[in-house]
Amino acid sequence: MKSSTADHYRNPRHRGSLSGPHVHAEGLNPSCGDDFSIDLQVENGTIVDVAIQGQGCSISQASGSMMSEAVVGKTLDEARGLTTTFKLMMGIDEGDDPLDLERPGAVLGDLEALQGVRKFPVRIKCADLPWTTLSDALDQAEA
Ligand code: ZN
């Protein structure tokens, strides 16, 4: 069963912070006033836990909640693949085939609900904020 964007906004997943060893990244979307931060706990190249904080519009917060659910249990490579697929779906990145289902993380599940945001270019940055922040955290986890 898919969860709607509104459900993720009302009942955000993985909200809070991690107490054990983790990497932390923060992001801002000044055009809307959204902020987002993420804690990732990585063991042996796999994301074993995630916690998110932040405030802002429903799109940024719902996107963050969906992202947090999507990356738990994924390897760093799979999380990168998901990020790539998301940015292709939203038209943020080009030059690859968004329908390449062989790519790790090609199946977005609930995240496909955010596809509608493409119709509102000003809101794309809101949906992208958690993913850009995730990329920062993945960079740190790989460092
Ligand atoms: Zn926003």
Side-chain angles (χ1 to χ4, degrees), residues 29 32 34 56-57 59-60 123 126:
N29 173 25
C32 180
D34 308 316
C57 69
I59 291 171
S60 64
R123 311 313 297 278
C126 302

Side-chain angles (χ1 to χ4, degrees), residues 36-78:
F36 187 81
S37 60
I38 186 168
D39 292 350
L40 280 188
Q41 186 186 348
V42 178
E43 283 173 13
N44 301 320
T46 297
I47 298 168
V48 295
D49 206 0
V50 55
I52 59 171
Q53 308 95 43
Q55 51 195 342
C57 69
S58 59
I59 291 171
S60 64
Q61 303 307 304
S63 180
S65 173
M66 289 179 174
M67 181 273 286
S68 71
E69 239 185 4
V71 299
V72 171
K74 298 281 197 299
T75 65
L76 297 176
D77 279 353
E78 287 167 342

Side-chain angles (χ1 to χ4, degrees), residues 85-108:
T85 305
F86 180 80
K87 286 174 183 273
L88 287 167
M89 177 184 84
M90 300 304 285
I92 295 162
D93 288 343
E94 300 174 353
D96 198 350
D97 178 5
L99 300 177
D100 175 10
L101 296 176
E102 301 294 314
R103 186 194 308 112
V107 178
L108 290 171

